[in-house]
Amino acid sequence: MQKIAFAFAAVAMAGAATAFTTSPALAAMAKVETVVIDTRTYDLRSSQGYARLTERIDRASRQVCGTVDVRDIEEAYAIRACQGAAVEDAMEQLNDVARSPSVTVGASR
């Protein structure tokens, strides 16, 4: 198996965050977080191996995007959007796993 790379632009991930969507300068200054997951440690031919990898991708999305604080609903929506975009990008990369030995989960906040 190989690794999968996940990287996200601020606008793609945080569409709900108006600071990023309205100011290219702020988007350029955004901090980009990434996590590389080596897929060689997962048996993607089995449903158990695939499930373990998708769980790891979910954990990585929380790591790079942050966790939701329900006391700040606007921030919660932005974080959920970031996590969703990170997972979606990662799952798309699984289709290309034969071409790349790694995946990177990334976010810009």
Side-chain angles (χ1 to χ4, degrees), residues 62-94:
R62 290 188 300 275
Q63 188 176 347
V64 298
C65 295
T67 54
V68 173
D69 180 356
V70 294
R71 294 173 292 183
D72 186 347
I73 196 74
E74 195 170 304
E75 172 98 2
Y77 283 124
I79 289 172
R80 290 277 190 217
C82 177
Q83 291 171 346
V87 169
E88 182 178 333
D89 184 63
M91 298 310 289
E92 287 176 13
Q93 290 180 57
L94 279 177

Side-chain angles (χ1 to χ4, degrees), residues 9-79:
V11 174
M13 290 185 314
T18 57
F20 290 119
T21 59
T22 60
S23 174
L26 288 176
M29 294 181 344
K31 181 180 173 185
V32 176
E33 298 281 340
T34 60
V35 172
V36 176
I37 301 170
D38 186 349
T39 61
R40 292 175 287 198
T41 60
Y42 301 92
D43 179 8
L44 298 180
R45 295 169 294 181
S46 74
S47 59
Q48 183 180 11
Y50 183 81
R52 286 183 56 228
L53 177 58
T54 57
E55 288 170 10
R56 177 63 185 106
I57 289 170
D58 285 338
R59 283 194 317 273
S61 75
R62 290 188 300 275
Q63 188 176 347
V64 298
C65 295
T67 54
V68 173
D69 180 356
V70 294
R71 294 173 292 183
D72 186 347
I73 196 74
E74 195 170 304
E75 172 98 2
Y77 283 124
I79 289 172

